[in-house]
């Protein structure tokens, strides 16, 4: 559908097309290499000699890897053979002439996310081996044994996470000056001018934040991981980090990811998207869902790349795309606990985004499975030998590596073994030691323009957001298509609506050990760790998060749906039948940016498989709809005591008293759990679930009364009708007319909704505490609100920029001009042309949503008696642009969408 402010010219060929970028033909430039001295030195560093010997001393085998042009130069000695093998290996990659990396302590701590370096004392969430010293190191190969130079050294601060600008001239990195609640902040400098260092991010007044893992974007912005989300890990006390973005000077900083726990390690891909790691456990296990995702630089199109429904590897970290192989990614298999490192693997999402079949372990090569079959402490079942792989092609990569051929235990913590920089082969044997030091060396990156590495510039995606709009929209072609509804016949018509639920996360500090008196309580029977007792909104294995039902979207007879949702809010969906009972649930979430329109074909469909030819799409004919609110509880925090218990007391409690043969005492009253007051009826309905939780995470426990999936269920897709209200004994009994109990349609659906939400008790984290504890929590929210207010202002300023035309003046600089009028323009996808009426005279300027001019045309010079057609520049990427006409009527503007 074309928006109302578009002119529908030649409507028979104008159409709205959703574009997905596809990489086709990325390749490495094998251009002329700078003159590197190939002469074998009279003295070879001992470290390199020892590493050669560790790879084997058979000269005949060594010579097999020596290029023909060098074989005649070998004098037959072990050292000479290894030298010419080294030359042969390195010379294949001319773009590797200059490498930059960071020297610092080993990262990691008790669990995922301890690298934020926030908190102090018992509440410290920092690297256990933090050391306030470090360097940025530059290795330029003048010969094949050149040693690195420290171009920036700090004796009072750690340095990490270097990222090279797309022109190869600048580096952005993170700095932290202390182990105790110092956080990390971002700095930038010109590589050839170390004295040019400038700070980009700062702590807001009265707050300490952590900004790290920066990533340059094609439009000049920088994406990074940051604790400015002010969230907290549900099963611990660490502050979480989400994806943020800012311009190249640090302005307009705003949040892109609204994620439950950590997202980290953003890396630019050649198709213009950003690859990153996302950890989640909404209604499933805490330690096994940490896969690779991608988003556009503006935060739109947040989708799975690999591993969101994969049990092992437990965590996918340090992911990077592979030059020349657009569906492959190098990453590190790690654990939920322990060091920020692991074993390197390659995953290929050509035909799937989950499972071990398309995962190849390479460091060392082995079967794709955990090394620890009884990994109850979630250490990942891997050796901690590698960090930050940087693929040069499908076969060779740079990496921080050390010989560590054993698994670490939970009590051992982070190893002191030092990482060195290697050029390594995926065969697990061939390698060349490039750099070593008294500290570990991390994150090797090539210092070269992007085009010299990839053969072409990255796709520069247009900004698809509109911060003047508070909403986004989803469309779905066919809810019956995909694994989520596998086996459910569309002809049955059972799917009637989609329930839309917002997740509400805990605020930072809610789980700090310093607040132990407030948030920690007795451990429930059978639970192996105290996670469910940390400021809980439920007991036992019920919901991790507070939830809010926003409404329902109609599912049409053809399975389609189209509906509006609030932007910048994490949402998930449930497919409902005519009784308001869940057929299938999402157990994840999606977030839209302002103005974003996100298309889904089906329900957890394999995006790597071609969907069937779409049919009628009845939802499209009706248009994008507002959510309906049939229950009267929509938009409110879902609360058992307020919404469910009145139904229980009215209809059930008179029979279900103490001693009832069912075992369920649904009498009124409360019980104390984790320093909160829980309804006795709630405890009764969920007690079986708690008591049947077995030792070890990942156990799907159930309860005949409610039949939820539990917070320890595994990541894999669950089939429809496998849990929730359709399987609930209580719901089934009510449908059968249990003891002539007759609930109103509304009350029945609220009860089913509670079960499908995984049985939350409270809708807010400060509910049912003592007044003193509630005040403590509200104070934490007030602290976070200080940043939220700053970010709100940043978004408002960004929204203003999106409303203002950036017009070039006679000196080729730009000035803002307010746009008060709009003119009509059409777009012809097949011809990639704009069509304007003959009355349009003046200068037409096409800009992206950040004000960058991409095309200029003087319409007055185009003599025509009919409509004016303007051909778009061929390199122009798809997306939303602004056409601005400076003519006799002043400045006029129209929004257009350029499609493939």
């Amino acid at each position: 559908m074309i928006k109302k402010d578009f002119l529908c010219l030649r409507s028979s060929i104008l159409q709205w097309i959703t574009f997905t970028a596809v990489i086709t033909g990325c390749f490495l430039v094998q251009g002329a290499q700078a003159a590197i001295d190939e002469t074998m030195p009279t003295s070879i560093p001992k470290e390199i000699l020892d590493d050669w010997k560790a790879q084997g001393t058979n000269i005949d085998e060594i010579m097999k890897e020596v290029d023909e042009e060098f074989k005649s130069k070998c004098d037959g000695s072990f050292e000479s053979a290894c030298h010419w093998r080294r030359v042969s290996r390195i010379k294949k990659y001319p773009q590797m002439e200059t490498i930059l990396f960071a020297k610092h302590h080993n990262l990691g701590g008790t669990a995922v996310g301890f690298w934020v370096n926030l908190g102090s004392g018992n509440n410290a969430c920092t690297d256990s081996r933090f050391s306030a010293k470090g360097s940025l190191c530059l290795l330029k190969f003048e010969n094949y044994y050149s040693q690195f130079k420290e171009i920036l050294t700090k004796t009072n601060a750690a340095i990490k996470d270097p990222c090279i600008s797309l022109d190869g001239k600048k580096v952005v990195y993170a700095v932290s000056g202390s182990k105790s609640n110092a956080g990390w902040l971002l700095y930038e400098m010109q590589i050839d001018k170390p004295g040019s260092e400038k700070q980009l991010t700062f702590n807001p007044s009265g707050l300490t934040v952590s900004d790290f893992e920066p990533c340059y974007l094609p439009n000049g912005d920088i994406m990074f991981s940051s604790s400015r989300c002010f969230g907290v890990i549900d099963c611990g006390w660490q502050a979480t980090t989400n994806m943020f973005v800012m311009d190249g000077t640090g302005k307009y900083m705003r949040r892109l990811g609204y994620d439950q726990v950590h997202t980290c390690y953003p890396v630019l891909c050649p198709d213009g998207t950003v690859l990153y790691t996302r950890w989640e456990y909404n209604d499933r296990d805490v330690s096994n869902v940490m896969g690779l995702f991608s988003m556009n630089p503006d935060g739109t199109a947040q989708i799975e790349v690999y591993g969101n429904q994969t049990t092992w590897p437990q965590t996918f970290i340090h992911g990077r795309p592979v030059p020349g192989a657009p569906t492959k990614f190098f990453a590190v298999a790690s654990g939920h606990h322990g060091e920020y490192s692991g074993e390197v693997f390659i995953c290929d999402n050509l035909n799937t985004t989950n499972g071990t079949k398309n995962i190849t372990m390479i460091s060392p090569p082995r079967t794709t499975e955990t090394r620890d079959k009884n990994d109850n402490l979630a250490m990942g079942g891997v050796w901690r030998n590698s960090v930050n792989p940087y693929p040069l092609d499908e076969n060779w990569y740079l990496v921080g590596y050390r010989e560590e051929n054993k698994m670490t235990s939970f009590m051992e913590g982070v190893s002191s073994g030092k990482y060195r920089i290697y050029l390594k082969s995926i065969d697990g044997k061939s390698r060349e030691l490039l750099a070593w030091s008294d500290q570990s060396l991390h994150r090797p990156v090539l210092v070269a323009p992007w085009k010299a590495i990839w053969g072409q510039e990255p796709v520069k995606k247009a900004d698809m957001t509109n911060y003047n709009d508070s909403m986004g929209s989803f469309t779905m072609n066919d809810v019956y298509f995909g694994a989520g509804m596998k086996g459910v016949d569309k002809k049955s018509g059972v799917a009637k609506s989609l329930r839309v639920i917002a997740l509400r996360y805990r605020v930072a500090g809610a789980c700090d050990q310093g607040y132990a008196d407030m948030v920690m309580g007795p451990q429930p029977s059978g639970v192996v760790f105290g996670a469910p007792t940390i400021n809980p909104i439920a007991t036992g294995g019920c919901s991790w998060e507070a939830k809010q039902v926003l409404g329902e979207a109609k599912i049409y007879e053809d399975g389609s749906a189209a509906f509006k949702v609030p932007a910048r809010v994490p949402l998930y969906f449930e497919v409902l039948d005519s009784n308001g009972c869940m057929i299938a649930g999402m157990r994840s979430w999606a977030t839209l940016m302002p103005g974003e329109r996100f298309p889904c074909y089906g329900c957890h469909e394999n995006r790597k498989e071609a969907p069937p030819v779409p049919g009628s799409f009845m939802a499209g004919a009706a248009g994008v709809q507002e959510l309906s609110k049939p229950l009267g509880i929509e938009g409110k925090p879902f609360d058992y005591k307020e919404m469910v218990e009145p139904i229980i007391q009215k209809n059930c409690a008179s029979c279900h008293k103490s001693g009832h043969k069912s075992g369920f005492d649904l009498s009124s009253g409360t019980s104390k759990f984790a320093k909160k007051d829980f309804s006795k009826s709630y405890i009764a309905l969920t007690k079986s679930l708690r008591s049947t939780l077995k030792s070890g995470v990942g156990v799907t426990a159930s309860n005949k009364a409610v039949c939820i999936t539990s917070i320890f269920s595994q990541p894999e897709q669950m089939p429809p009708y496998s849990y929730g209200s359709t399987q609930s004994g209580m719901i089934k009994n009510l449908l059968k007319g249990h003891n002539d109990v007759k609930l109103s349609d509304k009350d029945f659906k609220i009860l089913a909704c509670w079960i499908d939400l995984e049985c939350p008790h409270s809708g807010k984290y400060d509910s049912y505490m003592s007044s003193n504890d509630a005040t403590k929590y509200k104070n934490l929210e007030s602290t976070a609100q200080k940043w939220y207010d700053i970010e709100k202002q940043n978004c408002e300023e960004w929204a203003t920029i999106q409303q203002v035309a950036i017009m070039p003046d006679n000196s080729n600089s730009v000035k803002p001009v307010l746009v008060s009028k709009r003119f009509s323009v059409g777009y012809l996808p097949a011809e990639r042309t704009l069509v304007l009426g003959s009355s349009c005279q003046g200068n037409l300027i096409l800009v992206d949503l950040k004000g960058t001019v991409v095309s200029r045309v003087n319409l007055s010079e185009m003599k025509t008696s009919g409509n004016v057609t303007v051909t778009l520049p061929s390199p122009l990427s798809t997306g939303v642009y602004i056409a601005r006409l400076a003519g006799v009527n002043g400045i006029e503007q129209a929004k257009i969408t350029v499609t493939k």
Side-chain angles (χ1 to χ4, degrees), residues 632-881:
I633 62 170
E634 292 82 3
K636 304 174 183 177
F638 196 97
D639 190 286
Y640 175 87
K641 290 189 73 171
E642 294 180 8
M643 299 172 180
V644 180
E645 185 163 43
I647 300 172
I648 298 293
Q649 294 305 314
K650 177 182 177 181
N651 298 280
C652 310
S654 60
C655 291
H656 286 271
K657 300 177 180 179
S658 178
H660 190 275
K661 63 181 181 180
S662 67
F664 293 112
D665 179 2
L666 303 182
S667 304
S668 61
T670 61
S671 296
K672 189 71 71 175
F673 175 81
K675 298 205 70 179
K676 288 187 174 184
D677 292 323
F678 284 80
S679 297
K680 284 185 177 180
S681 60
Y682 176 88
I683 295 293
L685 288 169
T686 60
K687 67 179 181 180
S688 304
L689 175 63
R690 297 196 315 279
S691 64
T692 55
L693 283 171
K694 301 177 182 179
S695 296
V697 298
V699 179
T700 300
S702 190
N703 175 319
K704 290 182 179 180
V706 293
C707 198
I708 66 172
T709 183
S710 99
I711 58 175
F712 299 110
S713 60
Q714 287 297 285
E716 284 77 12
Q717 178 66 47
M718 296 187 73
Y721 296 113
S722 58
Y723 67 98
S725 57
T726 59
Q727 305 304 304
S728 161
M730 181 163 51
I731 294 298
K732 288 180 178 180
N733 282 343
L734 288 170
L735 289 172
K736 293 176 183 178
H738 174 69
N739 289 346
D740 294 325
V741 174
K742 295 182 179 179
L743 272 60
S744 68
D745 181 68
K746 178 179 173 182
D747 285 353
F748 179 88
K749 290 180 177 178
I750 289 175
L751 184 61
C753 179
W754 170 67
I755 293 171
D756 294 335
L757 296 185
E758 296 286 297
C759 301
H761 181 264
S762 51
K764 296 188 294 184
Y765 294 103
D766 59 357
S767 295
Y768 313 120
M769 295 177 172
S770 69
S771 59
N772 184 49
D773 287 343
T775 297
K776 290 179 182 179
Y777 190 85
K778 285 182 169 64
N779 289 339
L780 295 173
E781 290 182 319
S782 297
T783 299
Q785 191 63 44
K786 294 177 182 178
W787 166 253
Y788 299 156
D789 291 341
I790 295 171
E791 185 178 343
K792 180 181 178 182
Q793 182 177 350
N794 292 346
C795 291
E796 290 172 349
E797 291 176 358
W798 182 241
T800 300
I801 284 181
Q802 290 185 323
Q803 284 183 318
V804 174
I806 306 296
M807 303 297 295
D809 61 19
N810 294 332
S811 63
N812 289 324
S813 60
V814 296
K815 60 180 180 180
V817 180
L818 288 176
V819 178
S820 58
K821 299 180 180 180
R822 300 183 183 275
F823 71 108
S824 296
V825 58
Y827 172 59
L828 307 180
E831 293 87 348
R832 284 178 65 85
T833 59
L834 304 181
V835 182
L836 303 92
S838 59
S839 62
C840 294
Q841 298 294 311
N843 289 313
L844 177 69
I845 300 174
L846 191 67
V847 300
D848 63 23
L849 292 184
K850 299 198 73 172
T852 303
V853 177
V854 296
S855 178
R856 296 182 180 88
V857 179
N858 187 345
L859 300 180
S860 301
E861 296 177 353
M862 303 178 69
K863 305 297 183 181
T864 178
S865 58
N867 291 333
V868 178
T869 60
V870 177
T871 302
L872 298 177
S874 57
L876 191 67
S877 64
T878 61
V880 177
Y881 293 84

Side-chain angles (χ1 to χ4, degrees), residues 101 208 218 230 299 301 355 375 542 544 558 596 634 654 733 816 835 880:
F101 45 88
T208 302
F230 282 88
D375 190 20
C542 300
W544 282 112
D558 62 352
E596 181 179 1
E634 292 82 3
S654 60
N733 282 343
V835 182
V880 177

Side-chain angles (χ1 to χ4, degrees), residues 85-270:
R85 180 181 63 180
R86 182 180 179 89
V87 173
S88 298
R89 286 170 171 174
I90 296 176
K91 194 172 183 180
K92 294 176 183 177
Y93 302 103
Q95 71 277 20
M96 206 180 82
E97 179 186 344
T98 306
I99 305 170
L100 187 144
F101 45 88
K103 184 169 79 166
H104 58 74
H105 59 274
N106 294 342
L107 301 178
T110 301
V112 170
F114 265 67
W115 54 74
V116 295
N117 197 17
L118 294 172
S120 58
N122 290 333
N123 301 322
C125 300
T126 189
D127 303 311
S128 60
R129 293 189 175 275
F130 182 92
S131 177
K133 64 176 182 177
S135 308
L136 289 181
C137 308
L138 196 69
L139 173 56
K140 185 175 177 61
F141 285 103
E142 296 175 353
N143 60 59
Y144 287 91
Y145 302 88
S146 295
Q147 302 295 296
F148 68 84
K149 298 178 181 178
E150 295 184 3
I151 60 171
L152 179 66
T153 300
K154 293 186 180 291
T155 58
N156 60 351
I159 306 176
K160 68 169 187 168
D161 304 332
C163 178
I164 305 300
S165 61
L166 273 66
D167 61 7
K169 296 180 179 180
K170 297 183 294 184
V171 58
V172 61
Y173 49 94
V175 174
S176 182
S178 171
K179 183 174 183 177
S180 179
N181 200 37
W184 297 84
L185 295 172
L186 299 182
Y187 289 72
E188 182 186 60
M189 76 173 188
Q190 297 181 47
I191 295 172
D192 61 351
K193 296 180 180 179
S196 63
E197 183 183 42
K198 62 180 179 181
Q199 188 170 347
L200 297 180
T201 68
F202 300 84
N203 282 317
S205 177
L207 300 173
T208 302
V209 297
S210 196
D211 304 328
F212 55 99
E213 295 180 332
C215 173
Y216 283 110
L217 302 175
N219 61 5
D221 286 354
I222 297 173
M223 191 180 294
F224 58 100
S225 303
S226 179
S227 68
R228 295 172 193 257
C229 56
F230 282 88
V232 66
I233 291 176
D234 296 321
C235 63
W237 62 91
Q238 306 96 296
T240 58
T241 59
N242 281 185
M243 288 297 114
F244 280 70
V245 72
M246 63 185 181
D247 76 1
T249 66
K251 294 181 63 178
Y252 312 116
M253 189 182 297
R254 57 200 184 276
R255 185 177 177 182
L256 300 181
Y258 287 78
D259 299 315
Q260 179 185 20
V261 274
H262 281 286
T263 51
C264 50
Y265 213 80
V267 173
L268 180 64
C269 296

